[in-house]
Amino acid sequence: MLKQTLQQKLLQKLSPQQIQFIKLLQVPTVSLDARIKEELEENPALEDGSLTNMNDPVEEYPDHDPDENFENKESDFDEEFSVDEYIQEDDYNDYSTNYGSDDDEDRKEIPIAVQDSFFESLQNQLDLLALSDKDYLVGQQIIGSLDDDGYLRRPILSLIDDLAFSQNVIAEETEVESILKVIQDFEPAGIGARDLQECLLIQLRKKDQNNPIINQAIKVVENYLDEFTKKHYDKIEKQLGVNSEELKDIINEILKLNPKPGDSGASAGKQLHIIPDFHITNNDGILHLTLNGRNAPELRVSRSYQEMFEHYEKAEKTDKKMKEAVQFVKQKLDSAKWFIDAIKQRQQTLLKTMNAIMEYQYDYFLTGDERLLKPMILKDIADKIEMDISTVSRVANSKYVQTEFGTFLLKSFFSEAIQTDSGEEVSNKEVKKILEECIANEDKRKPLADEKLTEILKEKGYTIARRTVAKYREAMNIPVARLRKEL
């Protein structure tokens, strides 16, 4: 049976404008240009002010209160539109300068050296060989099957199948193996190996075979690679019949080899170029925060759409097509206004959040000493700026700040508190820094185990469990004591 009931619910819904602001907030500076370009392409009522004549009077919409919540306004055919809501003389230059943006919009781009890629370099070496057409196609297939590290991870039989189906070349396994050996002689050394052991052996066999150290290194890689990776040096000494000094020379020879030869040719193209969202400068002990100029784009509502809206406002609205035209123009104008509002609110939120972080960690930003970092969680900043924790999280997880001692992700300044024996609360960053110094200064022949590191911290007044020390060590990508051992 159908039953009718009355329920009362409390729901929280985000308007489309609030969702747009949230999405813009988490976009880093390096991706903001692409997002703005996408909006400019989708909405003809939005214009890039930097491409217009700055001497012309700029007609723009009235500013919104930055702290005012956006409202989801529905179009109504019977509503009396006012063009004054969309057209107003405004000081255009204030738009990009009132938000603490810096003056480095004309900064020069870093030049990138033009060079052959890793695969182009191998192809050039293949072109220099006097090969038959069949062998040349086999060589091309092998080079194209290498991964970015320079390894051939695919079975030979798979290459044979690919040659038959794609190139109509019938090749035997021995023929492919023969061409693979030729490619393994290419530079950089180690290219075309099928595993780490083969990669290291290729590099060692290209060295002076009359050198006894090289010969012993080949034996280690051929027969004791597992013991070498686990640093069971005492077992290797017994098997080879060498002392610790001789083994040290052998190990050093192996450590000189490149386990990923493909990276040597592609590393230049893989460098990540970080564009900071904020800049902090120290002026005689006073910190000054600026927002990257790219975060203050010169956007405005299209004058042609404003004039079109003014024309439609004066026309009769009884015609259905005219109503649809009015609705379309108003929708585009509203969308342009909301997007510019969201950009402005994004700027203010970024500056407000970063300024709170800077004030909270003022001593750290003056010196760069990680020991001066205070315990700080997202809630501390959220309470300070009177915003939601999720808003602070979106800013901290994707934005970078450039200081006089480096460029850092905002998330790295947040840390939990640890209480010392004296009752003082310190950041766990301070504990990690002490751990890093202890491990850096340890005797590499007898590295400090986690239990010993726990005792050292306890002596310094930090009572921390051994499992916590292990967690911090792993977070800093520091291996266990046995793997830090050196001869």
Side-chain angles (χ1 to χ4, degrees):
M1 292 178 61
L2 294 176
K3 189 176 181 180
Q4 192 175 34
T5 60
L6 184 64
Q7 289 183 334
Q8 187 176 25
K9 291 184 178 181
L10 182 63
L11 299 176
Q12 184 179 20
K13 292 185 177 180
L14 294 175
S15 69
Q17 291 73 49
Q18 289 171 320
I19 295 173
Q20 185 180 54
F21 164 67
I22 290 171
K23 290 182 177 180
L24 277 175
L25 185 62
Q26 62 191 15
V27 173
T29 299
V30 68
S31 305
L32 184 62
D33 289 343
R35 177 65 186 90
I36 292 173
K37 184 178 179 181
E38 178 184 340
E39 189 69 22
L40 287 169
E41 291 174 351
E42 292 179 357
N43 189 356
L46 185 68
E47 287 185 350
D48 185 354
S50 62
L51 302 179
T52 61
N53 188 351
M54 298 301 295
N55 294 324
D56 294 340
V58 178
E59 297 172 343
E60 200 172 333
Y61 64 95
D63 289 339
H64 283 275
D65 185 348
D67 297 326
E68 181 183 355
N69 292 330
F70 292 118
E71 295 180 1
N72 187 14
K73 300 180 181 178
E74 301 292 339
S75 297
D76 186 355
F77 290 155
D78 298 328
E79 180 185 358
E80 289 298 327
F81 303 116
S82 173
V83 73
D84 293 336
E85 294 180 4
Y86 298 93
I87 303 177
Q88 178 178 340
E89 295 295 331
D90 197 4
D91 185 358
Y92 186 63
N93 292 329
D94 285 348
Y95 174 59
S96 61
T97 58
N98 282 344
Y99 298 96
S101 56
D102 53 17
D103 301 322
D104 57 352
E105 294 170 356
D106 297 328
R107 67 166 67 94
K108 298 179 180 179
E109 295 294 332
I110 299 176
I112 299 175
V114 178
Q115 61 180 14
D116 290 338
S117 68
F118 163 61
F119 293 100
E120 288 173 342
S121 174
L122 295 179
Q123 184 64 50
N124 291 338
Q125 295 178 67
L126 182 68
D127 292 341
L128 296 176
L129 300 178
L131 299 175
S132 65
D133 292 343
K134 180 179 179 180
D135 290 343
Y136 182 80
L137 291 174
V138 173
Q140 277 190 320
Q141 188 68 37
I142 293 174
I143 291 174
S145 300
L146 300 180
D147 61 16
D148 290 337
D149 293 336
Y151 285 84
L152 180 64
R153 308 286 187 183
R154 304 190 63 206
I156 297 297
L157 292 178
S158 296
L159 297 181
I160 294 174
D161 291 340
D162 289 343
L163 285 165
F165 286 108
S166 62
Q167 304 287 346
N168 197 24
V169 173
I170 306 301
E172 298 294 332
E173 187 172 354
T174 53
E175 293 177 303
V176 177
E177 289 273 6
S178 175
I179 299 300
L180 177 59
K181 293 294 182 184
V182 173
I183 292 176
Q184 287 177 347
D185 284 333
F186 287 0
E187 293 296 333
I191 287 297
R194 283 158 284 190
D195 53 42
L196 176 62
Q197 185 179 44
E198 186 177 20
C199 177
L200 299 179
L201 287 174
I202 290 172
Q203 297 178 61
L204 286 170
R205 285 168 180 160
K206 285 191 173 185
K207 297 191 176 186
D208 184 10
Q209 298 294 310
N210 296 322
N211 188 336
I213 299 296
I214 300 297
N215 287 325
Q216 293 284 41
I218 292 175
K219 289 181 181 179
V220 171
V221 174
E222 280 183 332
N223 305 312
Y224 311 111
L225 185 60
D226 188 53
E227 288 83 353
F228 169 75
T229 55
K230 294 180 179 178
K231 296 196 173 184
H232 292 157
Y233 296 141
D234 52 342
K235 294 182 181 180
I236 300 176
E237 286 181 13
K238 291 179 182 179
Q239 294 294 335
L240 294 180
V242 296
N243 56 40
S244 59
E245 286 299 321
E246 291 173 329
L247 182 61
K248 185 177 181 180
D249 293 336
I250 296 170
I251 298 300
N252 288 337
E253 194 64 42
I254 297 175
L255 293 177
K256 293 177 184 177
L257 305 177
N258 186 0
K260 295 181 179 181
D263 277 352
S264 60
S267 59
K270 291 184 178 181
Q271 292 178 354
L272 179 62
H273 181 53
I274 296 175
I275 298 177
D277 302 83
F278 310 95
H279 297 83
I280 293 180
T281 54
N282 186 349
N283 298 327
D284 297 328
I286 300 175
L287 297 179
H288 181 60
L289 172 67
T290 54
L291 184 66
N292 190 313
R294 296 190 183 187
N295 288 286
E298 299 175 355
L299 300 176
R300 72 176 190 179
V301 178
S302 169
R303 172 183 291 178
S304 60
Y305 261 68
Q306 292 171 349
E307 293 173 349
M308 191 185 307
F309 183 60
E310 184 178 9
H311 170 73
Y312 286 145
E313 187 192 43
K314 296 175 181 177
E316 290 292 333
K317 300 185 181 65
T318 55
D319 183 67
K320 183 179 179 182
K321 290 185 178 181
M322 182 62 68
K323 288 182 179 180
E324 292 176 354
V326 171
Q327 182 191 23
F328 175 80
V329 175
K330 183 177 184 297
Q331 180 186 4
K332 293 301 180 182
L333 287 171
D334 281 341
S335 179
K337 288 172 57 182
W338 290 333
F339 186 77
I340 298 175
D341 273 333
I343 290 289
K344 284 188 174 183
Q345 189 173 356
R346 177 183 184 273
Q347 296 166 11
Q348 292 178 331
T349 303
L350 289 180
L351 274 174
K352 198 172 184 179
T353 305
M354 185 62 228
N355 190 66
I357 294 174
M358 184 183 74
E359 293 294 335
Y360 204 100
Q361 304 287 4
Y362 207 87
D363 293 338
Y364 166 75
F365 285 113
L366 282 175
T367 62
D369 186 356
E370 288 188 358
R371 296 184 181 184
L372 296 179
L373 274 174
K374 298 178 182 178
M376 182 178 70
I377 59 176
L378 295 174
K379 189 176 184 301
D380 295 329
I381 301 302
D383 292 342
K384 195 176 182 69
I385 63 177
E386 298 180 349
M387 289 186 176
D388 193 80
I389 293 177
S390 62
T391 301
V392 179
S393 177
R394 285 184 174 89
V395 175
N397 285 335
S398 58
K399 307 297 184 297
Y400 288 85
V401 58
Q402 180 176 309
T403 68
E404 294 180 352
F405 40 86
T407 301
F408 306 95
L409 185 66
L410 297 192
K411 186 179 179 180
S412 64
F413 302 129
F414 291 85
S415 60
E416 297 177 355
I418 292 178
Q419 197 168 36
T420 64
D421 292 344
S422 61
E424 180 186 2
E425 285 193 346
V426 297
S427 170
N428 61 8
K429 295 271 186 182
E430 180 175 332
V431 178
K432 290 181 180 179
K433 187 68 175 178
I434 295 173
L435 274 176
E436 189 177 15
E437 291 177 355
C438 290
I439 293 173
N441 297 326
E442 69 184 358
D443 183 359
K444 296 303 178 183
R445 291 174 294 183
K446 295 180 180 180
L448 300 172
D450 290 343
E451 292 83 358
K452 184 62 178 177
L453 290 170
T454 305
E455 293 176 7
I456 294 174
L457 288 173
K458 190 173 182 180
E459 292 173 0
K460 293 179 178 291
Y462 305 97
T463 304
I464 301 174
R466 186 202 61 80
R467 63 179 178 273
T468 305
V469 172
K471 183 179 75 172
Y472 289 168
R473 176 181 52 74
E474 291 171 359
M476 294 186 290
N477 295 320
I478 299 176
V480 296
R482 177 171 55 81
L483 297 180
R484 300 199 305 270
K485 184 179 179 181
E486 297 178 5
L487 294 174

